[in-house]
Amino acid sequence: MVRPGNRAPDALRPYNIRRHFQRYPAGSVLIEMGNTRVICAATVEDRVPFFQRGTGLGWIAAEYALLPSATNTRTPREAVRGHQNGRTQEIQRLIGRSLRSVVDLSTLGERTIQIDCDVIQADGGTRTASITGAFVALVEACASFYEKGNVFPVQDFLSAISVGVSADEEPILDLCYEEDSHAIVDMNVVMTGAGKFVEVQGTGEGRPFSKDELGTLLEYGEKGCRELISYEKDVLGGELVWLVGRVG
């Protein structure tokens, strides 16, 4: 099997994260995974949803949007239609709960960190790129109000990647749209820096998959997530990397 770009089965597409992409949010990045590009912004708000009021706990919420021109066929804005589709709701819930899995909400105070992920170009893996980019933006946002000596809200690193079984029956890592649209098995893996799984979403699109195939897909997913976490550390730099997991 020859993959686009002649990638090895367990190789990521070229990737890049550009910090401080926007002027106004407390944290913002542009993440590129191959031809997929997502703007991830984190805004700190001094309020929480009604179900957190009076608890002393903060919250992390996410919104996800696919810009009309992000694909080769224009997609009308959901605001024009008056409602979000099921896919959008599913993805933003995934982003929110993934980020919350590595945050101590009690350290936020009654603050909400609102994460906005806007896909400006889609070529597969938009939800996993959103999680990886949003994590970097989240660390930046938490650093904006962190006081030395306290517990830093973000307790571990986080990344996400797609894996699948190709139309040629071969397990592959980081599917582009061409591969994803023909994949027999499609899966998304979200992992922490400690190597723990936050979420594994897997579906046999063309046929059921075996335990051995699942093992290979998880192995590839872990490899991709670890590589991205190592890159996150390079992007954040020494001071912010030092803060993640700080307890005083």
Side-chain angles (χ1 to χ4, degrees), residues 191-207:
M191 292 191 71
T192 69
K196 295 182 178 181
F197 293 103
V198 175
E199 191 130 358
V200 177
Q201 299 179 331
T203 305
E205 302 279 1
R207 61 161 173 77

Side-chain angles (χ1 to χ4, degrees), residues 44 56-60 98-113 115 135 137-158 239-248:
V44 181
L57 301 176
W59 191 245
I60 296 173
S98 295
L99 295 172
R100 290 193 297 272
S101 75
V102 293
V103 172
D104 181 350
L105 297 178
S106 68
T107 64
L108 294 177
E110 292 203 2
R111 295 186 182 93
T112 294
I113 301 181
I115 305 292
F135 172 79
L138 173 66
V139 173
E140 286 186 346
C142 289
S144 72
F145 60 81
Y146 171 72
E147 296 180 357
K148 188 175 181 180
N150 292 336
V151 176
F152 190 68
V154 183
Q155 292 296 291
D156 199 357
F157 286 85
L158 181 80
E239 182 178 355
L240 291 183
V241 169
W242 178 82
L243 286 177
V244 175
R246 293 289 299 178
V247 294

Side-chain angles (χ1 to χ4, degrees), residues 44-104:
V44 181
E45 301 176 337
D46 291 323
R47 58 187 178 86
V48 291
F50 71 92
F51 56 83
Q52 293 290 71
R53 293 173 190 166
T55 66
L57 301 176
W59 191 245
I60 296 173
E63 293 185 11
Y64 168 95
L66 188 73
L67 268 60
S69 58
T71 62
N72 60 0
T73 302
R74 185 182 185 277
T75 304
R77 296 181 192 273
E78 291 183 329
V80 174
R81 295 200 299 265
H83 68 278
Q84 292 180 318
N85 64 37
R87 177 180 181 273
T88 297
Q89 294 179 41
E90 174 202 352
I91 292 174
Q92 56 194 31
R93 286 196 294 265
L94 170 64
I95 297 167
R97 65 177 175 261
S98 295
L99 295 172
R100 290 193 297 272
S101 75
V102 293
V103 172
D104 181 350

